[in-house]
Amino acid sequence: MKVPLLDLKAQYQTIKGECLKVTQDIYDSQHFILGPHVEKLEAEIAEYCSAKYAVGVSSGTDALLLSLMAANIGQGDRVITTPYTFFATAGAISRVGAIPVFVDIAPDTYNISPDGIAVTISKMSHSERNTLKAIIPVHLFGQCADMDAIIRIAKENSLVVIEDAAQAIGAEYKGRRAGSMGDFGCFSFFPSKNLGGFGDGGIVTTQSKDLYDRLMVLRVHGSRPKYYHHYIGGNFRLDAIQAAIVSVKLKYLDDWTRARQENAGKYRSLIDAAGLTSLVSCPVEKENRHIYNQFVFHVPEKRDELKVFLTANEIGCEVYYPVPLHLQACFSFLGHKSGDFPVSENAADHTLALPIYPELTEEQLGYVVSCMRQFFA
Ligand SMILES: *Cc1c(COP(=O)(O)O)cnc(C)c1O
C-alpha cells in the first residue's frame, strides 16, 4: 500500500470545480496583481486569525522579511529565534542585515524555550543588549509557542514579537489564534502548508494600524502614491490567482484541521495498541488547538533505520529538520559548534514526520503503524 507524506491530488479532486471557475474568471478579467481577490482574502484571513489587518504577500519568507522591514530592523540589530525551524526564519533576519541570536527549544513541544530566552538576554553585554530588537517565535509543526511568557519578556525588554505562524494557521494558545498575539503574524500559502495555494504566497497579520500602513507601502517598493517612494521596499505582492485559490480552500480549512487532529488521535491509539509506546513518543499536545501541519514523533533509537524501512514500504516520511540552523554552513560566521543547542540537536537526530494529511484512510494509518511494529519486532 502506498502512503505518501502528502497527497495534494486527493484534496484537489474535492474542490476542482470551484478552483477552475474562480481562476477562469481571473483569466477573463486579465487582472493578475493584487485587486479584489487579494482584498477579499485579506479580510477573510484577518477574521479567521482574530487580527485587525492582513496584508497578502508573495511567500511566507517574504512575510517575515517584510515584517522585519516594517519593524525597522536592520544592519547590526539582533533578533532572537530558534535554531530548530525551517531556514527562512533565520534567513530573513540575516537578509535585513541583522544577527540571529539562537535560543534552544523546549524538549516536549520543540518550540523556543522562554526560560532560555531570559537566560540569553541576561548574559548579553550592554552593547549587545542595546542592539536586541525582536523575538521570532515559531509555532512549529502546528502548535503555538509559549506566548504569554514570550510576550512578557518582550515587553520587559521593549522587543517586537514576530510570530512565524507559517505552519500554524488556526492554531490556538489559551484560546487566542496564532498571528493575533505578537506585533506581526507571518503565514505561508506554500502548497504543503495546511492552507496552501497553487504556487507561492503568504500573508502578514497585525493589530496595529501604523504597522499595517507600513506593510502596505513596503509591499509595493515603499511607494504611496505610485512612483513616490518613502522607503526602500520591494515587490512583495500576492497574485490574484493565489488569493482566489486560498479563499476557496479557507472554507474547508476547519474540516481539514479536524481530520488532521483525528488522524493524530488514531496514530496515538494504534501506536499504543501495537505496544510501541516505549519505543517512540507521540507529539505532546500542550496548547488547546494543535493543527498538525506535521505529525512529528520522537524515536530514541534507530530513527534513520526506521526511515529507510518505512520508505522501502512506500510510506512517505521525513526529517524536519536534519541540521539545526546554528550548524548550517551559511551561519558558520556566528561561531557555533555542535553541543551549543543540545535539545535542538537531539530533535534533529531523533524525530520523524509521518503522513497526517486529512484524506488519509483508516487502512493507510493502520498500514503505517503495522510497518512500524514490523520494524521494531
Ligand atoms: C514554510 C515556512 C516558511 C516559509 O514559507 P514560504 O512560503 O515557503 O516562503 C517560514 N517559516 C516556517 C516555519 C515554515 O514552515
Side-chain angles (χ1 to χ4, degrees):
M1 185 184 307
K2 264 207 174 86
V3 190
L5 185 57
L6 178 62
D7 185 358
L8 288 170
K9 286 183 187 160
Q11 182 175 89
Y12 179 55
Q13 285 315 312
T14 68
I15 52 170
K16 190 171 174 175
E18 281 179 273
C19 292
L20 291 177
K21 171 159 191 331
V22 77
T23 41
Q24 179 100 57
D25 291 347
I26 294 171
Y27 298 147
D28 289 339
S29 79
Q30 290 291 299
H31 190 136
F32 299 116
I33 307 292
L34 297 176
H37 288 283
V38 172
E39 283 162 25
K40 174 171 177 279
L41 180 71
E42 288 172 339
E44 290 168 351
I45 294 284
E47 193 196 341
Y48 189 78
C49 297
S50 316
K52 285 211 180 86
Y53 308 96
V55 178
V57 295
S58 27
S59 68
T61 302
D62 285 344
L64 291 162
L65 189 61
L66 186 63
S67 298
L68 287 159
M69 291 168 78
N72 254 321
I73 290 163
Q75 205 62 41
D77 290 336
R78 284 178 163 74
V79 179
I80 286 177
T81 194
T82 161
Y84 189 59
T85 175
F86 178 60
F87 177 77
T89 317
I93 296 169
S94 284
R95 283 177 62 198
V96 296
I99 302 162
V101 177
F102 294 122
V103 169
D104 212 352
I105 54 174
D108 51 354
T109 60
Y110 309 119
N111 281 324
I112 194 166
S113 154
D115 293 340
I117 298 175
V119 169
T120 299
I121 294 177
S122 73
K123 285 186 182 160
M124 283 181 155
S125 70
H126 190 68
S127 65
E128 284 171 346
R129 174 62 200 82
N130 280 339
T131 55
L132 182 63
K133 295 289 162 63
I135 306 176
I136 308 187
V138 179
H139 304 317
L140 200 68
F141 305 142
Q143 174 161 245
C144 287
D146 187 356
M147 292 306 288
D148 276 350
I150 292 167
I151 288 168
R152 181 165 30 80
I153 296 169
K155 284 221 170 91
E156 284 164 10
N157 293 278
S158 312
L159 304 175
V160 169
V161 175
I162 300 172
E163 294 174 65
D164 183 340
Q167 302 181 6
I169 191 154
E172 286 179 8
Y173 174 85
K174 299 185 183 172
R176 283 130 75 199
R177 286 265 153 130
S180 72
M181 297 172 274
D183 298 280
F184 302 92
C186 298
F187 296 89
S188 164
F189 301 135
F190 186 78
S192 71
K193 308 291 166 144
N194 286 24
L195 182 64
F198 286 0
D200 281 306
I203 206 159
V204 183
T205 52
T206 184
Q207 309 289 10
S208 153
K209 174 81 167 70
D210 280 358
L211 294 178
Y212 168 71
D213 281 338
R214 283 182 61 82
L215 290 165
M216 290 291 278
V217 170
L218 286 164
R219 177 173 72 173
V220 287
H221 293 291
S223 65
R224 181 183 274 169
K226 215 172 177 181
Y227 308 125
Y228 292 81
H229 299 265
H230 305 273
Y231 318 103
I232 300 168
N235 171 1
F236 297 119
R237 295 179 299 246
L238 178 64
D239 288 344
I241 288 176
Q242 300 310 333
I245 295 293
V246 170
S247 190
V248 165
K249 287 195 178 187
L250 182 60
K251 300 197 295 277
Y252 304 99
L253 183 58
D254 285 337
D255 291 340
W256 291 336
T257 297
R258 207 169 305 121
R260 284 173 180 270
Q261 291 165 336
E262 281 166 14
N263 290 343
K266 286 175 194 162
Y267 269 134
R268 280 176 213 283
S269 39
L270 287 167
I271 284 171
D272 193 24
L276 295 173
T277 44
S278 60
L279 296 162
V280 302
S281 350
C282 287
V284 174
E285 273 190 28
K286 249 194 147 166
E287 302 314 331
N288 58 358
R289 197 170 192 245
H290 190 323
I291 61 145
Y292 286 100
N293 178 241
Q294 301 293 350
F295 183 88
V296 174
F297 66 114
H298 196 264
V299 191
E301 275 170 54
K302 300 204 171 127
R303 190 273 316 266
D304 291 339
E305 291 90 332
L306 175 62
K307 180 169 187 264
V308 169
F309 183 83
L310 293 178
T311 307
N313 284 283
E314 301 189 307
I315 294 168
C317 54
E318 190 56 89
V319 175
Y320 297 115
Y321 298 89
V323 182
L325 300 186
H326 66 289
L327 300 178
Q328 294 287 350
C330 67
F331 287 129
S332 62
F333 70 94
L334 293 171
H336 290 299
K337 55 183 189 319
S338 169
D340 282 0
F341 301 104
V343 188
S344 297
E345 291 166 32
N346 180 285
D349 291 342
H350 295 287
T351 60
L352 191 62
L354 293 179
I356 189 76
Y357 61 88
E359 298 80 10
L360 278 174
T361 63
E362 301 265 346
E363 291 69 33
Q364 286 175 311
L365 289 163
Y367 174 69
V368 172
V369 177
S370 81
C371 284
M372 280 168 58
R373 183 167 53 184
Q374 225 182 310
F375 172 80
F376 283 111

